Structures are given as C-alpha cells and as structure tokens.
C-alpha cells in the first residue's frame, strides 16, 4: 500500500510553513532549537492502537489472544513507555538501559520482554529481580547462565526461546535476522531450537513459556510473515509431540515496513493481521491442539512515521555533475550523528522546506550534515526549491524510529532534543545534550 512518510497531523500553514501537532515548526525551532526531533504523539499512539486493534481483532476471530510489544529500540523515553502502558501495549527491551527507562515510565515489569544475543549478568539479574514477564533466551550458554542465576536468586525465570526459522527477509542485510548466517537465535533447521526447548523444559529454575522469532526489519512481504508463522507453529507442534508439554506463547517479532518517501510502499497492519492470523489458523487446522497466546513486536511502524527532524540550513552550494547537470548541496546543522541510517543502510528519506513557501523551481539537491566526512549525507537525492538559503528550516520525514536511538556524539556533537507535540502543545521527551554534559563525561588530567 503506498503511504505517506509524514505523520497524520502534518499540514501547511496559510503562508506555507509546516505545522505538526497543531504547532508551527518555526515556533518549535525557536523554542527548542535545531536540530530537533519532533514526535507527533497522536500519530504515534494511533499507530500503536492500530496494531493492537487490528491484530487483536484478527486473532479474536479465531478465539485467540494477542499482545503487542512495542519494540522500544526504535525510540524510547519514559514518557513513551507511559503512553504504551496507558494504551494497553507491552514493551520489548534489549538492554539494561532500555529496561530502566521502561520501568521509570511505569511499564509494569510483567509486561516487559528482555531480548539480546549476549545478555550480561547484570541485565539478567535485574530482569529477575524486578520480575520481567519474559526473557527471550538466545543461546545454550544463556540457558545455563540464566538457570544458575535464577537458582542463586531463588527465582524462576520465565523464558521464550528465540528461533531462527531460516526465513530471510528485510530491507538490508544488516537488519535481516532469521537466516542461518547471522548471530541471533537457535536454528530450526539444525535442530538446535528443539534441543534448546528441551533444555529449558528440563531446567530446574526456568519456566518455558514458548517460542519467539523476528525475521528482520522493513519487510514488505506478507508471505515472509506467513512462512515464519507456519514454521513456528510446526516447531511448537513438534515439541508437544516429543514431550507432551504445551508451549502457551508464540511471538512473531516485528519488522513491518513503513514508507520513508512519498508514494513508497508500507505494510498495512490491517492486511498483515488478517493474513498472519489466517496462516496461523491453517497450520493449527493441520495439527489441532490449543491455540497459543500470540504476540508481535513492531517498532519502526509505530515510531517511524510519527517522527520528523527539523534542521536549520547553513551553507548552500551548487556543484556541476559529470553528466552536465548540477546538484544543490544543502548543509544543515546536524547530520550522520542524529541520523546514521542513510550512511549505514543507504536509507532514503523525504525532505521539505519547512519554514516558508517557495515558488522557485525544484532542483536536484542533497542534504548533508556538518561532520568531517563526505559520507555525512542525510538525504541523498531530493528535489528542493532552488532558493533554499541560510536560515531556512528543513524537515526530514519518518525519522522517529532508529534516529535518536542510534544517534552518536561523533565530533562531540550534541545530540538533539526530542519533543512530543499534541493539540498545540510541546513537551520535551529527551533533552538536548549540552557542552556541560560533554565536559562532564570527559575526565581531565
Ligand atoms: N523484535 C526484535 C527481537 C528485534 O530485534 C527488532 C528490531 C524488532 C522487534 C523491531 O523491528 P522493527 O519493527 O522496528 O523493524 N537499526 C535498524 C533496525 C534494526 C532492528 C533491530 N531489531 C534500522 O534503522 O533500520
């Protein structure tokens, strides 16, 4: 389905400036500075609710239950954890840091799942102490370590086994996660997954709840999700056949694609929900038995299109291209430190002049940052008016997922603030780094 990369409340003022959440971006920039990540709260929560409702309804048609775990690696702040809690979602965390922010936001520990291919002892210990609802175990080593830790703490560890189903899907090699030749999970094909399930089942201090898979990210193919659900349910049936034990939980991961540019395809959660529930029903029909409790973990499809980045334009220059054409370079006050996705994955983005209208002809442009390397590109190719100048604001769409969460302090850059906007009001979710922060992290002689 072709979709817009802009959040639902983005509109133009009468004079051509961009508006989001009922606020003029010029006022946002004046109040909070640039670069600035802006989260459209209404849009974010509507996307979360759409997953909850569409998947809930599609599985309810078969009498089954479904939980949505927002994958907080896409973007997390304690207020966002609070939104997800209020809206009835659960949370997937993948580090001690994410766990602490989720807890600060009031997300109940029993609605949190902890991920990671190499979880540290302090992460597992904290998860057991606060009582997270599920730890997704990723290796035999972890099964052993966790069982030992649970014993020493006098707790039981609720676990799901992360399964590598062999379904290869996703936008970029580095974000596909369920083929054999990568670091995550226990292989279905080699029998490791089944063996790990047995190990968890037999471990004295683990409660085996079920199985988990995540096939990758930015996936447009519903068939990939269908195939993965199919393989997971066959594994579940195989385990029950072999041991007589039930696996009450099946998590099918995240990865739902969004549109990064105007007219690009996105995976509609309503379509995906029906297709996946039907695929599940068909395997369940083959094998019989009770339906498990399902869950999914969308991150990007909730946070991505809900966020945009505002930049101020500094330097503009024209270069001549070998083919006789020309390109306008528009340098902004951020770059690869606030959005590394362009350089990491060759990601494409949509940008627009946000502070005014322009009648000037559109010209092939490249939005670049202020870092000291030529690969510091925010948007590789985009049409912008030929009169873009110093002091203009640019907005880049769909930066809400994996933007702030992957931001760096390269060149001792100050990571931008994140503000939520809604109904004409803005609230800071994450404050901007300051020079005082940088000097604080630095240890002088
Ligand atoms: N569940 C698990 C276990 C995951 O590892 C991930 C993402 C998700 C859910 C959420 O996937 P999503 O729905 O957001 O696609 N930095 C990359 C994406 C890495 C995703 C890592 N895991 C990017 O910027 O595209």
């Amino acid at each position: 389905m072709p979709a817009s990369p802009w959040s639902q409340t983005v509109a133009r003022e009468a004079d051509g400036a961009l508006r989001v959440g009922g606020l003029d971006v010029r006022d946002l920039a004046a109040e909070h500075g640039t670069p600035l990540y802006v989260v459209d709260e209404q849009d974010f929560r509507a996307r979360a609710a759409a997953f909850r409702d569409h998947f809930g309804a599609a599985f309810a048609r078969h009498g089954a239950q479904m939980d949505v775990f927002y994958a907080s690696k896409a973007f997390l702040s304690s207020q966002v954890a609070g939104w997800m809690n209020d809206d009835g979602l659960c949370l997937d965390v993948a580090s001690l840091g994410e766990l602490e922010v989720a807890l600060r936001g009031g997300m109940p520990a029993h609605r949190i799942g902890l991920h990671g291919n190499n979880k540290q002892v302090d992460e597992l210990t904290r998860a057991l102490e606060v009582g997270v609802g599920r730890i997704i175990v990723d290796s035999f080593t972890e099964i052993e370590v966790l069982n030992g830790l649970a014993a020493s703490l006098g707790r039981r560890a609720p676990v799901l086994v992360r399964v590598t189903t062999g379904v290869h899907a996703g936008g970029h090699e580095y974000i596909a996660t369920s083929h054999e030749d990568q670091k995550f999970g226990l292989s279905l094909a080699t029998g490791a997954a089944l063996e790990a399930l047995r190990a968890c089942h037999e471990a004295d201090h683990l409660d085996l709840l079920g199985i988990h898979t995540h096939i990758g990210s930015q996936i447009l193919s519903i068939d990939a999700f269908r195939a993965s659900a199919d393989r997971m349910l066959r594994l579940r049936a195989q385990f029950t056949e072999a041991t007589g034990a039930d696996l009450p939980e099946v998590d099918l991961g995240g990865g739902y694609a969004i549109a990064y540019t105007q007219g690009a395809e996105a995976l509609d959660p309503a379509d995906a929900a029906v297709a996946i529930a039907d695929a599940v029903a068909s395997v369940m029909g083959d094998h019989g038995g009770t339906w498990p409790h399902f869950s999914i973990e969308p991150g990007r499809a909730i946070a991505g299109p809900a966020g945009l980045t505002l930049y101020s334009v500094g330097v503009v220059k024209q270069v001549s291209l070998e083919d006789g054409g020309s390109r306008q370079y528009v340098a902004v006050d951020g770059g690869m430190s606030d959005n590394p996705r362009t350089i990491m994955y060759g990601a494409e983005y949509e940008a627009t002049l946000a502070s005014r209208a322009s009648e000037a002809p559109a010209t092939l442009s490249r939005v670049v940052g202020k870092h000291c390397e030529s690969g510091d590109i925010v948007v590789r190719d985009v049409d912008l008016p030929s009169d873009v100048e110093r002091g203009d604001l640019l907005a880049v769409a769909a930066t809400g997922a994996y933007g702030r969460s992957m931001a760096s302090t390269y060149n001792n850059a100050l990571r931008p603030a994140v503000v939520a906007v809604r109904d004409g009001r803005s609230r800071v979710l994450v404050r901007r780094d300051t020079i005082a922060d940088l000097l604080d992290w630095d240890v002088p002689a």
Side-chain angles (χ1 to χ4, degrees), residues 71 73-74 92 115 162 175 212 214 216-218 253-256 297-301 341 345 402 406:
K73 66 207 79 187
D92 141 14
H115 275 284
R162 169 119 178 201
I175 57 177
H212 173 285
H214 170 73
S217 267
Q218 192 55 8
Y256 303 86
E297 296 174 331
R300 179 192 324 265
R341 296 193 70 263
Y345 314 119
Y402 306 109
M406 292 206 299

Side-chain angles (χ1 to χ4, degrees), residues 210-233:
I211 43 179
H212 173 285
T213 193
H214 170 73
I215 53 177
S217 267
Q218 192 55 8
I219 298 166
L220 275 168
S221 155
I222 285 187
D223 285 345
F225 285 104
R226 273 206 204 99
S228 129
D230 183 276
R231 291 184 193 185
M232 290 290 279
L233 289 162

Side-chain angles (χ1 to χ4, degrees), residues 20 28 60 86 111 118 133 135 157 163 173 178 207 215 229 285 302 336 338 353 356 382 397 409:
V20 56
L28 280 170
D86 290 347
R111 297 212 338 255
N118 181 21
I135 296 171
V163 179
E173 185 198 338
S178 208
D207 286 330
I215 53 177
I302 292 174
M336 60 191 286
D338 60 76
L353 176 58
R356 63 183 172 90
V382 60
T409 56

Side-chain angles (χ1 to χ4, degrees), residues 14-368:
D15 68 359
L18 211 66
R19 204 179 167 74
V20 56
L23 288 169
D24 187 316
V25 295
R26 292 169 297 194
D27 295 335
L28 280 170
E31 184 178 349
H32 301 284
T34 58
L36 182 67
Y37 298 109
V38 183
V39 176
D40 183 338
E41 179 184 342
Q42 189 182 317
D43 184 274
F44 190 111
R45 298 176 77 161
R47 288 176 199 277
F51 273 98
R52 181 196 64 204
D53 295 344
H54 289 304
F55 274 85
F59 280 78
R61 278 199 301 126
H62 301 282
Q65 284 188 335
M66 156 66 74
D67 275 324
V68 179
F69 283 69
Y70 166 58
S72 71
K73 66 207 79 187
F75 172 64
L76 182 64
S77 81
S78 57
Q79 295 183 57
V80 165
W83 298 347
M84 297 297 91
N85 183 26
D86 290 347
D87 297 348
L89 278 84
C90 305
L91 216 63
D92 141 14
V93 301
S95 69
L96 183 59
E98 288 177 359
L99 176 59
E100 293 300 347
V101 173
L103 293 171
R104 171 189 265 189
M107 180 58 76
H110 69 89
R111 297 212 338 255
I112 297 177
L114 176 65
H115 275 284
N117 69 303
N118 181 21
K119 298 181 200 71
Q120 303 296 296
V121 167
D122 60 345
E123 295 175 315
L124 293 171
T125 303
R126 182 77 171 135
L128 288 172
E129 279 171 359
V130 300
V132 305
R134 46 168 71 175
I135 296 171
I136 295 85
V137 294
D138 210 284
S139 63
F140 289 103
T141 304
E142 189 182 8
I143 292 169
E144 216 179 295
V145 169
L146 184 59
N147 190 46
L149 266 179
S152 65
L153 293 169
R155 312 247 169 172
R156 299 195 61 77
V159 300
L160 267 62
V161 169
R162 169 119 178 201
V163 179
T164 305
T165 58
V167 176
H168 187 81
H172 186 280
E173 185 198 338
Y174 291 167
I175 57 177
T177 52
S178 208
H179 51 300
E180 290 290 320
D181 188 9
Q182 48 80 34
K183 69 175 185 169
F184 290 108
L186 291 140
S187 164
L188 185 68
T190 64
L194 193 58
E195 203 185 316
L197 283 168
R198 280 182 188 277
C200 291
H201 182 53
E202 286 160 14
D204 288 338
H205 303 278
L206 304 185
D207 286 330
L208 176 60
L209 299 181
I211 43 179
H212 173 285
T213 193
H214 170 73
I215 53 177
S217 267
Q218 192 55 8
I219 298 166
L220 275 168
S221 155
I222 285 187
D223 285 345
F225 285 104
R226 273 206 204 99
S228 129
D230 183 276
R231 291 184 193 185
M232 290 290 279
L233 289 162
R234 290 182 196 287
L235 170 65
R236 176 173 177 264
Q238 204 185 342
F239 176 75
T240 301
E241 236 165 70
T243 62
D246 185 34
L247 292 176
E249 300 273 342
V250 174
D251 190 306
L252 298 172
Y256 303 86
I258 63 166
Y260 278 99
T261 54
Q262 200 67 46
E265 295 282 311
L267 195 55
D268 185 345
D271 296 343
V274 171
I276 294 171
D278 288 351
V280 166
S282 135
V283 196
M284 290 307 297
D286 291 351
H287 290 273
T290 51
W291 276 58
H293 183 149
F294 283 92
S295 47
I296 55 167
E297 296 174 331
R300 179 192 324 265
I302 292 174
L308 59 82
T309 309
L310 278 181
Y311 297 102
S312 296
V313 173
V315 174
V316 181
K317 79 166 186 178
Q318 304 290 335
V319 301
S320 302
L321 303 178
E322 275 171 10
D323 66 4
S326 69
R327 189 189 324 271
Q328 171 172 259
Y329 271 81
V330 179
V332 295
D333 51 351
M336 60 191 286
S337 57
D338 60 76
N339 185 353
R341 296 193 70 263
T342 305
I343 191 166
M344 282 176 79
Y345 314 119
E348 293 180 1
Y349 284 93
E350 188 79 58
T352 191
L353 176 58
S355 46
R356 63 183 172 90
S358 169
E359 298 298 315
T363 183
L364 177 66
S365 304
R366 179 162 292 173
V367 180
V368 296

